Amino acid sequence: MPFGSFKDVLKDAQQKGYAVGQFNINNLEFTQAIVEVANEEGAPVILGASEGAIKYMGMEYTAALAQVAARMSRVPVLLHLDHGGSFDMVMKCLRNGFTSIMIDGSHHPYEENVAVTKKVVEACHAIGVHVEGELGRIGGVEDDLSVDAREAALVKPEEAVEFVQLTGIDALAPAIGSAHGHYVGKPELAFDRLKEVRSLVEVPLVLHGGTGIPDEDITKAISLGVSKINVNTENQSAFTDTIRAIFDKNKEVYDPRKYLGPGREAIKEAVRAKIRLFGSAGRY
Ligand code: 13P
């Protein structure tokens, strides 16, 4: 089928109380694994492409991979810019047929975040493309924040209300203490913030940094109103660990298919577990 609609898949998730997985793509094998398992599980799926991944694969290849995957699919497949950093980048993605955009202005002061997000929303909405914005700061685990810095990075619920109103975004990623990459200790999600934001804004909420959050915390976040969860590192690790084990066992292997194939299978099983955990299996 053609690409799915960001607003439609998230609306269904929000109404029925599950979360759609955004799984980032890094190459052909990631794209195949994610979309194959989404079809096997009957789950909608968002392919996330970061600026780094787009630079690595090339814009045209990124878009083409996702388009072919969607066309061969019986479940909704989307292509979403992950953490877009500039208006220029957004324009390039729109030209190449991305279904939705995340503009991440969270490293700017609040007013600038509002301004760049609003500008992106106006351009995207003019051609029917939906937009996710970020408020507060979702760091990397290497950031190792102090308690005060962590508190300062969390979303401010009253700001979230204004941010949604001023920008017109279709989904909000509020910083609630999750981070990108492998966690050093146990992640502490600020569920009280999440609850408050959920009660104040109507747009679907997004949880970034899905790798390494305990299953019960994922389930709780969904029950408190998260409708989209992003995962990348866990799939990267599954892929690389599998390939490393093959190399450790057999130093003679040279045919890429002999290790990329098993790597792709490992991504499939990691994504399958997340799709089931998120409650998105069997929806389509
Ligand atoms: P992880 O790499 O920690 O799973 O986070 C992915 C993400 O949030 C992409 O936006």
Side-chain angles (χ1 to χ4, degrees):
M1 56 164 78
F3 277 134
S5 149
F6 188 76
K7 216 168 176 170
D8 289 352
V9 294
L10 291 188
K11 194 167 160 204
D12 192 70
Q14 198 173 4
Q15 280 171 353
K16 296 179 181 159
Y18 67 92
V20 180
Q22 175 189 307
F23 302 103
N24 283 32
I25 56 174
N26 296 285
N27 61 17
L28 169 68
E29 282 73 17
F30 274 72
T31 313
Q32 290 175 320
I34 295 160
V35 174
E36 267 175 35
V37 80
N39 277 278
E40 287 167 15
E41 294 292 322
V45 78
I46 298 170
L47 301 175
S50 67
E51 291 198 14
I54 293 170
K55 195 168 170 204
Y56 171 75
M57 290 187 279
M59 176 62 89
E60 285 77 9
Y61 279 114
T62 306
L65 278 175
Q67 272 155 15
V68 170
R71 208 181 307 136
M72 291 170 62
S73 189
R74 67 174 185 86
V75 296
V77 172
L78 289 82
L79 177 59
H80 185 72
L81 172 63
D82 189 30
H83 293 282
S86 68
F87 189 74
D88 280 9
M89 187 64 195
V90 171
M91 290 296 108
K92 288 191 181 104
C93 290
L94 294 184
R95 192 182 176 93
N96 282 278
F98 279 52
T99 55
S100 44
I101 297 291
M102 179 195 187
I103 177 73
D104 180 359
S106 65
H107 43 285
H108 296 306
Y110 174 72
E111 286 72 22
E112 273 178 55
N113 187 0
V114 169
V116 69
T117 305
K118 189 168 185 282
K119 188 173 168 191
V120 165
V121 168
E122 281 168 5
C124 289
H125 281 188
I127 55 167
V129 167
H130 303 125
V131 179
E132 172 185 337
E134 176 174 322
L135 196 56
R137 293 207 58 183
I138 301 167
V141 281
E142 70 280 8
D143 288 354
D144 195 18
L145 298 179
S146 66
V147 176
D148 284 354
R150 173 187 142 88
E151 193 63 20
L154 294 178
V155 65
K156 295 181 183 58
E158 47 319 324
E159 222 169 63
V161 179
E162 192 188 68
F163 187 72
V164 172
Q165 271 169 3
L166 291 177
T167 60
I169 48 170
D170 305 288
L172 173 68
I176 57 163
S178 63
H180 300 110
H182 287 296
Y183 292 93
V184 181
K186 184 182 177 293
E188 298 289 342
L189 298 189
F191 289 115
D192 47 341
R193 297 274 176 139
L194 172 59
K195 218 169 168 175
E196 214 179 329
V197 172
R198 181 65 296 163
S199 71
L200 295 172
V201 306
E202 287 184 0
V203 293
L205 300 180
V206 182
L207 177 64
H208 281 248
T211 298
I213 297 176
D215 287 2
E216 60 273 19
D217 285 0
I218 292 280
T219 306
K220 187 167 174 184
I222 295 170
S223 76
L224 292 176
V226 162
S227 306
K228 170 176 177 278
I229 302 179
N230 294 5
V231 180
N232 184 29
T233 303
E234 190 161 330
N235 298 332
Q236 291 182 323
S237 288
F239 183 67
T240 306
D241 290 350
T242 300
I243 293 171
R244 192 178 288 121
I246 291 170
F247 288 158
D248 284 347
K249 224 161 78 191
N250 181 359
K251 299 266 182 289
E252 309 301 318
V253 65
Y254 63 89
D255 178 349
R257 293 167 298 184
K258 296 283 190 292
Y259 52 89
L260 293 178
R264 181 173 57 195
E265 283 306 306
I267 298 170
K268 277 186 77 172
E269 293 324 306
V271 171
R272 192 187 311 282
K274 286 288 185 274
I275 281 177
R276 291 182 181 178
L277 176 64
F278 297 169
S280 61
R283 301 288 176 177
Y284 289 85

